[in-house]
Amino acid sequence: MSAEIVQLVEQAGPYLTAAVGAYGGAVLARAENAAVDATANLGRRILHAVWRRGGEPEQASLEAAILDVAEDTDDADAAAALRQQLKRALREDADLRKEVADLLPAPAAGPVNITASGERSIAAHTIGTAITGDGHHSTP
């Protein structure tokens, strides 16, 4: 298997599980939601790309893998099975490889070291919203 496919699957994995965590088993049927974070929406777009390009058996396998992850988003085996579905699809379809590569952010050009030090500090390579401090109340 090519290193490109391995890299794409490793990079896409967190997006896939975030999408299933946010949208549940209906991730393929639901429209993108502005209230859902960018990570989950990107995962939903990747899953849609894989689903659209597959035949009926591949779509059924992908849906089953999604439902397994939706039942327990902390199940490493279920997440691995979903990544395996992506890997198989990428291996068999060069156009899908390009589409997924175009969707994913460019990988870092070298090692990334992130350090947080001190009370309430945050360390993140990428982040959507981070709030620290006393008295913050989120709005529904």
Side-chain angles (χ1 to χ4, degrees):
M1 175 178 2
S2 80
E4 175 191 20
I5 293 172
V6 171
Q7 181 181 5
L8 287 173
V9 171
E10 286 176 0
Q11 205 177 350
Y15 295 100
L16 303 181
T17 53
V20 176
Y23 289 99
V27 68
L28 295 172
R30 296 195 47 200
E32 189 166 308
N33 185 337
V36 174
D37 75 12
T39 300
N41 281 323
L42 176 55
R44 189 197 61 77
R45 288 194 302 273
I46 292 168
L47 289 169
H48 267 270
V50 173
W51 189 82
R52 278 192 325 268
R53 292 181 177 272
E56 194 173 313
E58 292 84 8
Q59 289 175 346
S61 294
L62 180 62
E63 288 173 357
I66 288 169
L67 290 174
D68 287 344
V69 173
E71 284 181 23
D72 183 2
T73 56
D74 293 328
D75 184 345
D77 292 333
L82 182 57
R83 288 191 310 273
Q84 183 63 35
Q85 293 291 323
L86 174 61
K87 188 184 302 181
R88 183 176 298 115
L90 292 172
R91 197 172 39 231
E92 296 171 359
D93 188 336
D95 291 335
L96 178 62
R97 276 195 304 276
K98 180 176 179 352
E99 184 176 351
V100 170
D102 290 346
L103 287 171
L104 289 167
V112 175
N113 295 313
I114 301 167
T115 304
S117 178
E119 187 176 339
R120 296 186 182 139
S121 59
I122 297 173
H125 184 244
T126 58
I127 193 163
T129 302
I131 300 170
T132 64
D134 294 330
H136 173 71
H137 302 285
S138 62
T139 55

